[in-house]
Amino acid sequence: MSPEKNTAMRHATLKQIVYRLSAFAAIVAILTPFLNAISTRYVPGDSDGATPILEGLSILHGNYLLHGWSISLDSFWTLDSMFNAFMIKAVGFGPSLLTLVPSFIAALVIALAVLLAYKAENGLLGLVGPFIVLVCLALPSPDLSFFLLQGPWHVATTLYALLAFMILAKWRTWAGAAVASLILAIALLGDLLILDFGITAIIFAAIVAMLRERKFSAGAKTFLAGLLSMPLAICLRLIADALGTFEIVNRNLPLKLSQITSNIGFLANRIPAMFGVGSISSAPTNSDLPLEIGHIFMLILVATAVLYSMGNTIFCIFKGNSDKLDIKYWHLNDILMLGILADIVTYIVGATSNNTQYTKYLDPGVIFAVILTARVITSLLIHIFNNNNTSDSTVPTSEGGLNLAFSSLPKPSAPISSNDIYADFMTPAQPASFSNYDFFPGFGVQQTVVEPNLTPVYQDRLQISKPQMASIGHRARSYGNSDGQSGALHLKYYAETKGSRRSGFQAGSGVGRGHLKKATKSIPLFPVALLILVSLVITCIAGAVQVRNEMNLPTASQPVKGLISFLEAHHLDLGVGAYWVSSIVTVESKGEVTIRPVTNAAADKLRRYGRQSSLSWYQGKQFQFFIYNLYQPWRKVNTVSAEKTYGPPEKTLTYGPYEILIWPKPIEVSLVLPPIKNPLNLIFRN
């Protein structure tokens, strides 16, 4: 390829990168405040959401490895905590982070999903995928708002998984596999769940690719990227341990057959509710029947697309890839589809009770399903419209021109050269036009050489002149492929239409009046396309109305705000208490009132809470008071355990459901923690 063409290709590629990065940044900038406004209606915030903010604050103060912390396997150290550190630097430490950071992460996920769903080479039809993504995720139903827009509920983990998926599917090189493996390993350091819906999906998708293509190399890079991410994460953890990082504490996972069976049944409610059909009791709702009907259309599209992808993948495993589609397209679809299945298994096994908040485990699967649907529906519409635009017809050309017919041809296994031309002898004819079709520049006949130019720029017209045709005829005679038809040329070459359908054309020059024949049969799927587009419009209207209703809801109330004012009025600014009233007060008060979590130990005496806490919070500190919620019992952290630890209090204050105990002298907290047996302890129960 000439230097000029190389330069043009680099400029075109750079331009595409700039455009996509600009679009990504614009989507994030627009969606972050928009989603944050929705989030404030649903998310009052709690200590689970406050903990990664405090981790981020520690990182921002220079404790990058969270030395001295004790955290479980879902530490979110390399995930939400990093985003919190960034946001604290940008906007400051405070309660606004409880909704702003999850909204920012969700905006990043949606922007990446838009790019994964966009098909730039297909004009307006290529925008259908991003439209579906925005309708489903940027106009979320009440339940999806509740579970998507608060953290740390594995949405940042999903972001890392999508990055790895994209690299493995589209950047199919060893360097790309190494980068994807590193991303997965970094995510694994912060959240073990990526092992389920990320790494497991990638490994199985690699095996599927090998089976579909009937060769090991088709999935080798993907397989090794997923497999090696686990030892790489272990190595990174060992390095962090040597430098001084947080301690991983015990996490019990009780597995009970009856609960697993119940969780399978819950899917019939949980999944539709995430798309606005029905509701989950833990999320505030503001929906009525007309809005649910609109959401039903999208739920049907999503379910159909996922089931179709599953069926198509199973078919191709047994029959092979007969359609010869580019692996960069279907490999990503397979990873997404397997990620959905893995995530459903995560929910079925990981939800250890009937608590509806375990629906958070379905966040990744819902996001994957939306992206997969966007890609499948876009491809279907492109297929429908292209087939209808290439129905049988005859387009006159000049006298003695070329008789052309498009037909499905195998995808070339190697770069196309002049050797791919076969032709019979011919006589000179009038110039003929390849019109009404869009080819890559360079997909023409230039003397005796045909070159593909794989830049995503199209031209509408391609002409073959008399000298070029005569040159082809000369080469044809040298091949000795004459079929005895005087004055006939049969030219076969590969091209690719705007619809991304790999195809080819055959051309013949005759002595009569030439014509251009579009040979692909029209298929009666236009009503299907119309139904899909109408469904999308209805769903968009329903989503817009739903969001308008959500904006009319009051901001979610945070009960600890009044408690903070009460404590400040009594000059109480440093205490200990039950987990659910500790870290949230610290964040809501911007650190003006600090409460550290404690839990019961042997003989019901209080000690440092060994999970989601830092040693520096307790070491050398003396506390003024103890607090807990009378109506939210937690681990026997109450008046009984407080008196067993510190004796009878001098004063007891009550504010709403909160009871506050004060002793004559400041109190200290025991730093002794139980030994760590196993970071993940599986408990099997009948």
Side-chain angles (χ1 to χ4, degrees):
M1 191 177 292
S2 66
E4 293 80 6
K5 288 185 177 180
N6 272 325
T7 302
M9 288 180 65
R10 284 197 297 268
H11 287 169
T13 301
L14 181 62
K15 185 182 293 186
Q16 288 294 320
I17 292 174
V18 171
Y19 284 163
R20 292 184 181 232
L21 288 178
S22 299
F24 182 88
I27 292 171
V28 173
I30 294 171
L31 287 185
T32 299
F34 174 72
L35 294 175
N36 185 58
I38 297 175
S39 179
T40 57
R41 269 67 179 175
Y42 290 100
V43 183
D46 57 23
S47 287
D48 273 353
T51 297
I53 296 176
L54 298 176
E55 291 178 16
L57 185 64
S58 184
I59 292 171
L60 194 63
H61 288 164
N63 189 7
Y64 303 113
L65 301 181
L66 296 181
H67 178 68
W69 281 71
S70 294
I71 323 176
S72 57
L73 287 167
D74 51 349
S75 65
F76 305 107
W77 164 42
T78 54
L79 301 163
D80 302 68
S81 300
M82 293 294 183
F83 286 108
N84 276 289
F86 168 77
M87 277 298 184
I88 293 172
K89 184 70 173 179
V91 302
F93 173 69
S96 63
L97 299 173
L98 290 163
T99 57
L100 180 59
V101 173
S103 299
F104 176 63
I105 294 172
L108 291 172
V109 169
I110 295 171
L112 183 56
V114 165
L115 295 185
L116 291 175
Y118 178 50
K119 295 178 73 69
E121 67 272 20
N122 297 111
L124 291 177
L125 283 177
L127 296 174
V128 172
F131 180 77
I132 292 174
V133 169
L134 292 174
V135 167
C136 289
L137 300 180
L139 299 175
S141 68
D143 287 296
L144 186 57
S145 297
F146 182 82
F147 291 103
L148 181 67
L149 302 179
Q150 65 176 303
W153 279 4
H154 313 289
V155 180
T157 315
T158 307
L159 175 65
Y160 282 52
L162 286 175
L163 284 172
F165 293 175
M166 178 182 68
I167 292 171
L168 290 172
K170 295 182 176 296
W171 186 12
R172 296 181 50 78
T173 64
W174 287 112
V179 172
S181 185
L182 180 61
I183 291 173
L184 293 170
I186 291 173
L188 193 55
L189 291 175
D191 187 4
L192 187 65
L193 279 188
I194 199 171
L195 181 63
D196 301 328
F197 61 76
I199 296 173
T200 300
I202 285 171
I203 291 175
F204 276 93
I207 297 172
V208 167
M210 297 175 193
L211 295 173
R212 287 176 66 138
E213 291 285 291
R214 301 296 193 264
K215 55 184 178 181
F216 177 78
S217 60
K221 299 180 182 69
T222 302
F223 184 83
L224 290 176
L227 191 66
L228 295 179
S229 64
M230 293 178 282
L232 179 57
I234 293 173
C235 289
L236 292 175
R237 174 68 200 189
L238 292 175
I239 293 172
D241 282 337
L243 296 174
T245 187
F246 62 91
E247 187 176 38
I248 299 177
V249 297
N250 290 72
R251 185 63 176 264
N252 296 325
L253 179 60
L255 299 178
K256 191 176 181 180
L257 181 60
S258 61
Q259 185 61 53
I260 291 175
T261 304
S262 297
N263 292 341
I264 294 173
F266 290 150
L267 291 173
N269 164 253
R270 305 292 193 260
I271 293 177
M274 297 287 266
F275 289 95
V277 181
S279 64
I280 302 172
S281 59
S282 62
T285 60
N286 188 23
S287 181
D288 50 25
L289 182 60
L291 294 182
E292 286 204 1
I293 292 175
H295 291 303
I296 285 172
F297 281 105
M298 182 54 68
L299 179 62
I300 292 173
L301 285 180
V302 171
T304 303
V306 172
L307 291 175
Y308 165 79
S309 295
M310 190 183 307
N312 181 66
T313 298
I314 294 172
F315 177 82
C316 290
I317 287 174
F318 288 99
K319 297 293 185 179
N321 280 335
S322 58
D323 54 11
K324 298 299 180 183
L325 284 173
D326 191 345
I327 189 173
K328 292 182 179 181
Y329 173 80
W330 57 258
H331 193 38
L332 178 57
N333 286 6
D334 282 352
I335 298 175
L336 291 169
M337 185 265 295
L338 290 166
I340 295 167
L341 297 179
D343 185 58
I344 290 174
V345 173
T346 299
Y347 170 78
I348 292 172
V349 176
T352 56
S353 73
N354 295 342
N355 190 333
T356 56
Q357 291 205 2
Y358 282 113
T359 308
K360 63 187 178 183
Y361 290 147
L362 293 175
D363 277 343
V366 169
I367 294 168
F368 296 162
V370 169
I371 299 172
L372 179 60
T373 300
R375 291 172 59 83
V376 170
I377 295 299
T378 301
S379 296
L380 175 62
L381 291 176
I382 290 170
H383 177 70
I384 291 172
F385 280 96
N386 279 345
N387 279 335
N388 278 277
N389 288 334
T390 56
S391 58
D392 285 344
S393 61
T394 297
V395 182
T397 61
S398 59
E399 188 75 21
L402 293 178
N403 299 330
L404 306 178
F406 262 69
S407 62
S408 297
L409 297 171
K411 184 176 68 175
S413 58
I416 303 168
S417 68
S418 59
N419 293 331
D420 291 298
I421 299 175
Y422 72 89
D424 298 323
F425 70 92
M426 62 162 289
T427 57
Q430 297 294 324
S433 300
F434 291 74
S435 57
N436 296 335
Y437 288 97
D438 297 293
F439 299 114
F440 288 110
F443 267 73
V445 181
Q446 302 173 358
Q447 300 302 325
T448 60
V449 180
V450 181
E451 294 179 347
N453 186 341
L454 299 181
T455 54
V457 182
Y458 295 90
Q459 63 185 33
D460 293 328
R461 226 173 151 76
L462 190 62
Q463 290 189 340
I464 299 179
S465 63
K466 287 182 180 180
Q468 292 169 339
M469 294 167 69
S471 176
I472 296 172
H474 176 74
R475 287 185 64 84
R477 285 191 293 273
S478 68
Y479 287 156
N481 290 332
S482 173
D483 60 3
Q485 297 179 3
S486 176
L489 166 70
H490 297 286
L491 172 65
K492 181 178 180 181
Y493 196 60
Y494 295 98
E496 188 167 329
T497 70
K498 277 188 176 181
S500 295
R501 293 181 294 110
R502 182 70 66 174
S503 57
F505 63 82
Q506 301 176 11
S509 174
V511 294
R513 180 169 179 78
H515 66 275
L516 178 65
K517 183 181 180 182
K518 304 174 184 179
T520 305
K521 296 292 184 181
S522 177
I523 52 178
L525 290 178
F526 188 79
V528 177
L530 183 61
L531 178 62
I532 292 173
L533 294 176
V534 170
S535 299
L536 292 177
V537 171
I538 292 175
T539 305
C540 181
I541 295 173
V545 173
Q546 180 66 64
V547 169
R548 184 201 64 184
N549 293 344
E550 289 172 343
M551 291 300 187
N552 291 330
L553 293 173
T555 301
S557 61
Q558 176 50 262
V560 302
K561 287 185 177 180
L563 173 64
I564 292 169
S565 299
F566 179 83
L567 293 173
E568 288 177 334
H570 289 80
H571 307 290
L572 299 173
D573 55 21
L574 184 60
V576 295
Y579 174 72
W580 294 112
V581 73
S582 57
S583 296
I584 184 61
V585 167
T586 305
V587 171
E588 279 286 346
S589 68
K590 300 182 180 180
E592 295 297 322
V593 176
T594 300
I595 302 176
R596 302 307 188 188
V598 291
T599 188
N600 63 306
D604 285 340
K605 290 190 175 181
L606 299 177
R607 58 167 173 82
R608 168 196 171 186
Y609 182 40
R611 181 178 289 129
Q612 329 292 53
S613 68
S614 173
L615 178 64
S616 63
W617 291 356
Y618 310 90
Q619 197 169 39
K621 299 291 192 303
Q622 293 185 324
F623 300 92
Q624 299 171 286
F625 62 94
F626 165 82
I627 184 172
Y628 72 102
N629 190 328
L630 287 166
Y631 305 134
Q632 192 178 21
W634 185 76
R635 297 195 176 192
K636 298 183 180 179
V637 178
N638 49 36
T639 299
V640 175
S641 57
E643 290 185 350
K644 285 184 177 181
T645 307
Y646 304 113
E650 179 183 56
K651 185 190 302 183
T652 298
L653 302 176
T654 300
Y655 177 81
Y658 301 103
E659 190 160 292
I660 305 154
L661 281 61
I662 304 172
W663 286 265
K665 297 186 297 184
I667 58 176
E668 296 180 351
V669 174
S670 171
L671 304 179
V672 178
L673 294 178
I676 299 171
K677 299 177 182 178
N678 191 333
L680 183 61
N681 185 26
L682 300 179
I683 303 173
F684 296 93
R685 295 174 178 168
N686 294 327

